[in-house]
Amino acid sequence: MNDRRILRLSGADARSFLQGLVTNNVDRLDDGLVYAALLTPQGKYLADFFLAADGEAVLLDVEASLAEGLLKRLNMYRLRADVQVELADLQVKRGTGPAPEGALADPRHAAMGWRLYGAEGGDDGSDWDAVRVAHCIPETSVELGPESYILEAGFEALNGVDFRKGCYVGQEVTARMKHKTELRKGFRTVEVEGTAPVGTEITSGGKPVGTLFTQSGGKGIAYLRFDRAKEGMLAGEARVIWQV
């Protein structure tokens, strides 16, 4: 998987440093992989990643295009904490078949299989788009971007946010969306008759309804305004159907 980079956070404060920044509970590292995100103070998405224990250090598995920016931002937050953040010379291998020794289960969904960190990357040839679409799992830089809110992106169902862990960057906005409002937008798996480029606007009766993203096997991941998501939705020439 050449599209991933691994950061290593070491030092006495590595875990407590992350605990005050990311959306999930870092104390769960001893139980396996932790899926989490870093948000802006306004609660918007900056990056999502996996955290894995590496002795007393922590490995952070992130999409390659976000790695340098995330490294800089983590160092900006570091201040006087005893934590060092650096790019690690490691790769990640993943698959959905039998897990090799040392592999860790993907915490988002059992269908996403396992991840293994070491000198060799790659995967077992699984149809990842099909798995993601079937279970509505958004992907970095495809469905997830700077305007994303993690609750609209389904992070609660994907085990990517903890509402009991305490403060983190963007926590106030995320908690307010959870407890004080009803989500009016979000990602859903839809049926698609035909095909459309990723990012095609979905309309109904000439009004914008949302956006169609990854498609596989007659289904797709769509970002929808729920109050407008009715019959007659189109993404270009493709027909979009959402079963509420």
Side-chain angles (χ1 to χ4, degrees), residues 7-221:
L7 307 183
R8 177 183 279 112
L9 290 85
S10 57
D13 297 333
R15 293 196 181 193
S16 60
F17 169 73
L18 284 169
Q19 185 76 321
L21 292 178
V22 306
T23 60
N24 214 337
N25 192 342
V26 178
D27 291 341
R28 295 175 179 168
L29 276 172
D30 292 330
D31 298 324
L33 276 182
V34 172
Y35 180 57
L38 182 66
L39 310 179
T40 69
Q42 295 76 34
K44 292 187 177 183
Y45 168 94
L46 283 171
D48 65 316
F49 38 76
F50 299 93
L51 302 172
D54 183 29
E56 294 301 312
V58 180
L59 302 180
L60 189 157
D61 166 7
V62 66
E63 190 199 68
S65 67
L66 302 181
E68 291 290 346
L70 184 58
L71 177 63
K72 291 178 181 177
R73 188 169 290 266
L74 291 174
N75 277 318
M76 178 186 72
Y77 281 125
R78 188 165 57 89
L79 300 177
R80 297 182 181 180
D82 180 10
V83 57
Q84 294 77 49
V85 189
E86 59 186 357
L87 286 169
D89 188 20
L90 292 172
Q91 297 185 46
V92 57
K93 181 183 292 187
R94 65 175 179 170
T96 58
E101 183 178 356
L104 300 169
D106 189 318
R108 294 174 294 177
H109 194 284
M112 291 297 289
W114 48 265
R115 302 175 83 87
L116 178 66
Y117 299 96
E120 183 181 352
D123 64 47
D124 65 356
S126 296
D127 188 342
W128 299 105
D129 280 350
V131 177
R132 290 199 307 105
V133 167
H135 302 287
C136 201
I137 300 173
E139 180 79 6
T140 311
S141 300
V142 181
E143 289 84 16
L144 295 172
E147 296 302 312
S148 298
Y149 289 100
I150 60 169
L151 296 191
E152 293 182 349
F155 269 56
E156 187 172 5
L158 299 175
N159 301 308
V161 59
D162 188 314
F163 292 103
R164 298 181 179 180
K165 60 160 284 186
C167 295
Y168 55 87
V169 178
Q171 181 266 343
E172 183 177 352
V173 175
T174 305
R176 187 163 61 245
M177 291 181 71
K178 166 67 174 175
H179 298 294
K180 295 186 178 181
T181 63
E182 181 178 352
L183 290 180
R184 294 177 295 177
K185 304 175 184 178
F187 289 116
R188 294 292 186 269
T189 295
V190 296
E191 296 180 23
V192 183
E193 296 179 358
T195 59
V198 170
T200 298
E201 182 181 60
I202 301 172
T203 61
S204 178
K207 295 182 178 180
V209 174
T211 308
L212 182 62
F213 291 98
T214 305
Q215 300 146 65
S216 179
K219 297 183 180 296
I221 296 176

